Amino acid sequence: MNSEGRPTQPRAATLLAPQTFSGARALQIHEALIFDIGRQDFTGVDLDPPKAFTPRLGGLERKSEIGLPGLSEPEAMRHYVKLSQKNYAIDMGPYPLGSCTMKHNPRLNEKMARLPGFADIHPLQPVSTVQGALALMEELSFWLLKLTGMEAVALTPKAGAHGEMCGMMAIKAAIAARGEAATRKVVLAPESAHGTNPATAAALGFSVRSIPAGPDGLVHPEDVAAALGPDVAAIMLTNPNTCGLFERDIVEIGQLVHEAGAFFYCDGANFNAIVGKVRPGDLGIDAMHINLHKTFSTPHGGGGPGAGPVVLSSRLAAFAPVPFVRRDGEKLTLVEESEGTESFGRMAAFHGQMGMFVRAVSYILSHGADGLAKASEDAVIAANYVRVCLNDLFSSPFGDRVCMHEVLFDDRWLKDTGITTLDFAKAMIDEGIHPMTIYFPLVVHGAMLIEPTESESIVSLTLFIATLRDLAIRALRGERERFLGAPHYAPRKRLDETAAARKPILRWTPPKPVEA
């Protein structure tokens, strides 16, 4: 039993457990690569020989075997089920990734997205046959504008970074329309900004001028004023910021930026903290992308499908990309051409991701305006509950202050223990919890950024906190073995992460035949 009276499993017993022939350990099933399971010289199903045909690939036909492993349907199904059991998911437990807002995806949303009228449509259908889909897009646009206090919305962007690109392209078009494209070539970005902010600016041909974070973790108006000039095109600021704090001087910063003739882009990654409480348009923001997966509960991760709509102020509304929905009486149409307008043009072949639009609208309508505001309040309360319950053990880089939807700790409390932020995060895996975001934001040494979201109940939050407290106490007691080798119980042990990043093995190589 441990100090809290809970049963423990001696680590020695785990290390001395007998090895199994299969590599599996009861229900912790070992699974090889799919190429190692299947043979390339046969298929798992019977296929009839193809009928004679005339090649039409102009000499580009495959000359060699395709080289894929042949598996039967049960083998293929088992392979991917086993792999899924080695992964962590929001449906298994808390996903406290700061700055990522990994919230629950309501099953009602999934049911709505699978309705035939939405699931079976195609982007090349005649507009007259998709009036319901266009009406839903109009509904989503209405609510995004209502919640942000903006003038126009672009639904085209496929994700947050794509949305950033959209917003900054609108800003670039507006500057060109004023005849200042040759002079306004600088974008201001705080030191604590998301990495996509300076990357987006640089990709569009801007140079980036860094704005320091103050000792309180906030951007100060005097620092912005000192960086402004006739060469500045825009500022890219996140509010609440990446340190989990609300930029209290944002209105003054916006006024300074506009007086200097520049535009204000807001990274919308943290909109989940203020929906229904603050309208970004009222703060002086000109453009902001909205991560539907973060704020409005559409699925997050796995490479897509994503959606990152961008809202634009009256200063930028005319430069929004095509296509967009337009209502003509009872009829809805898609405006596809930008000729004769100030639109910067088209960003993608089609309008966006219908499945994500349906899920977001379902979330918005099922909550209502009061429910969305309550979700923001609950997200902030959850983060502060974590902060208050851990602040006697963990250290806070900017003092023990009320935070927004995420709470930020640093590694000063681990000084002299020989344990790092990474070690602590790996030990969380042994406890069955996905680690928080670590080493970000970069302005904080050994950062630990926790975002519990409003999805977590008081019970799950309390267990999460108790687990972190237990680990923290063990770290401060000097139980280094618990951390330095972690994770001990995961299907795969700790990697050499530097080597994995710099020398990744991305190609399967057939094993050499064993000589008799």
Side-chain angles (χ1 to χ4, degrees):
M1 305 291 283
N2 62 16
S3 59
E4 286 78 27
R6 295 165 57 189
T8 59
Q9 180 181 10
R11 181 168 177 264
T14 301
L15 295 178
L16 297 177
Q19 297 298 313
T20 58
F21 175 80
S22 64
R25 296 173 61 185
L27 293 181
Q28 186 176 324
I29 307 297
H30 172 76
E31 184 65 4
L33 295 176
I34 194 168
F35 286 94
D36 293 325
I37 299 170
R39 288 168 48 187
Q40 298 183 43
D41 55 348
F42 70 93
T43 64
V45 296
D46 293 329
L47 298 175
D48 295 330
K51 297 179 180 179
F53 64 94
T54 301
R56 293 183 295 176
L57 295 179
L60 298 177
E61 298 88 353
R62 177 182 291 276
K63 301 296 192 300
S64 60
E65 295 293 329
I66 193 170
L68 295 178
L71 275 72
S72 66
E73 182 173 315
E75 288 176 320
M77 179 63 70
R78 288 169 185 166
H79 174 72
Y80 289 106
V81 168
K82 290 174 184 176
L83 292 183
S84 73
Q85 293 170 341
K86 300 182 189 303
N87 202 2
Y88 193 83
I90 192 65
D91 290 340
M92 295 178 65
Y95 225 127
L97 282 171
S99 198
C100 288
T101 315
M102 303 293 282
K103 64 167 72 177
H104 173 65
N105 309 134
R107 293 310 182 260
L108 172 64
N109 302 357
E110 302 303 311
K111 183 177 181 180
M112 295 299 101
R114 285 166 172 75
L115 291 173
F118 295 128
D120 298 341
I121 61 175
H122 191 280
L124 293 179
Q125 281 183 232
V127 171
S128 61
T129 67
V130 291
Q131 289 292 297
L134 295 183
L136 182 134
M137 292 158 63
E138 183 185 48
E139 181 83 2
L140 175 60
S141 299
F142 169 81
W143 282 107
L144 295 182
L145 295 176
K146 194 77 170 177
L147 292 167
T148 59
M150 293 291 209
E151 185 75 17
V153 60
L155 297 180
T156 303
K158 303 298 190 293
H162 204 209
E164 280 183 23
M165 182 71 74
C166 175
M168 291 304 293
M169 287 175 73
I171 288 173
K172 189 172 184 177
I175 290 173
R178 294 194 320 212
E180 299 178 325
T183 55
R184 293 192 180 271
K185 303 290 290 183
V186 175
V187 169
L188 308 182
E191 291 178 347
S192 59
H194 287 95
T196 51
N197 292 173
T200 296
L204 289 174
F206 294 106
S207 60
V208 179
R209 185 175 297 161
S210 181
I211 303 295
D216 54 0
L218 303 176
V219 174
H220 291 186
E222 56 267 27
D223 294 324
V224 175
L228 285 169
D231 59 342
V232 175
I235 187 172
M236 298 182 78
L237 186 71
T238 306
N239 195 31
N241 66 26
T242 312
C243 300
L245 304 172
F246 190 87
E247 294 284 356
R248 63 172 181 263
D249 295 316
I250 188 169
V251 173
E252 183 179 351
I253 290 172
Q255 291 172 345
L256 290 170
V257 168
H258 291 146
E259 289 170 2
F263 291 92
F264 193 154
Y265 183 90
C266 181
D267 186 316
N270 296 338
F271 191 41
N272 196 57
I274 59 174
V275 175
K277 310 297 290 186
V278 178
R279 299 197 313 173
D282 297 338
L283 303 177
I285 292 165
D286 294 306
M288 185 180 82
H289 77 266
I290 300 172
N291 304 82
L292 294 188
H293 54 275
K294 293 188 178 188
T295 307
F296 298 110
S297 81
T298 69
H300 189 170
V310 174
V311 289
L312 302 168
S313 71
S314 57
R315 302 179 186 91
L316 293 175
F319 304 96
V322 295
F324 56 84
V325 178
R326 173 179 289 167
R327 176 172 287 279
D328 183 11
E330 295 298 315
K331 182 181 178 182
L332 292 169
T333 61
L334 272 178
V335 178
E336 299 273 8
E337 303 297 332
S338 59
E339 287 77 3
T341 73
E342 293 184 288
S343 168
F344 68 75
R346 180 183 291 270
M347 289 195 73
F350 302 116
H351 200 301
Q353 223 299 331
M354 177 55 61
M356 299 303 107
F357 297 161
V358 176
R359 290 172 171 89
V361 169
S362 175
Y363 180 84
I364 291 171
L365 296 183
S366 61
H367 279 71
D370 55 341
L372 293 173
K374 182 64 163 58
S376 298
E377 293 172 358
D378 289 347
V380 173
I381 290 172
N384 281 280
Y385 180 51
V386 173
R387 174 184 63 83
V388 169
C389 291
L390 294 179
N391 62 13
D392 61 325
L393 294 174
F394 288 56
S395 50
S396 301
F398 305 112
D400 183 25
R401 300 161 52 193
V402 172
C403 61
M404 294 298 290
H405 63 305
E406 56 192 353
V407 56
L408 177 62
F409 299 108
D410 59 22
D411 63 352
R412 285 177 298 158
W413 67 280
L414 288 170
K415 185 180 179 182
D416 301 327
T417 64
I419 297 169
T420 66
T421 291
L422 180 64
D423 296 327
F424 190 87
K426 296 295 186 183
M428 290 175 64
I429 296 174
D430 278 335
E431 297 288 347
I433 300 175
H434 196 288
M436 71 288 277
T437 296
I438 60 173
Y439 299 118
F440 181 79
L442 300 178
V443 293
V444 173
H445 191 275
M448 303 180 193
L449 187 60
I450 301 173
E451 182 178 358
T453 82
E454 73 277 10
S455 298
E456 301 305 323
S457 68
I458 187 69
V459 174
S460 66
L461 278 178
T462 301
L463 178 59
F464 171 77
I465 292 165
T467 303
L468 263 61
R469 289 189 64 85
D470 180 79
L471 287 173
I473 290 170
R474 291 177 183 277
L476 295 173
R477 285 177 181 169
E479 298 182 18
R480 297 181 63 198
E481 296 80 6
R482 173 76 175 267
F483 299 87
L484 301 188
H488 302 287
Y489 306 126
R492 293 290 179 265
K493 307 311 175 189
R494 190 186 299 203
L495 300 174
D496 181 338
E497 298 191 1
T498 301
R502 295 180 179 176
K503 300 177 181 179
I505 301 173
L506 304 177
R507 185 183 181 92
W508 178 77
T509 303
K512 295 180 179 179
V514 179
E515 297 182 1

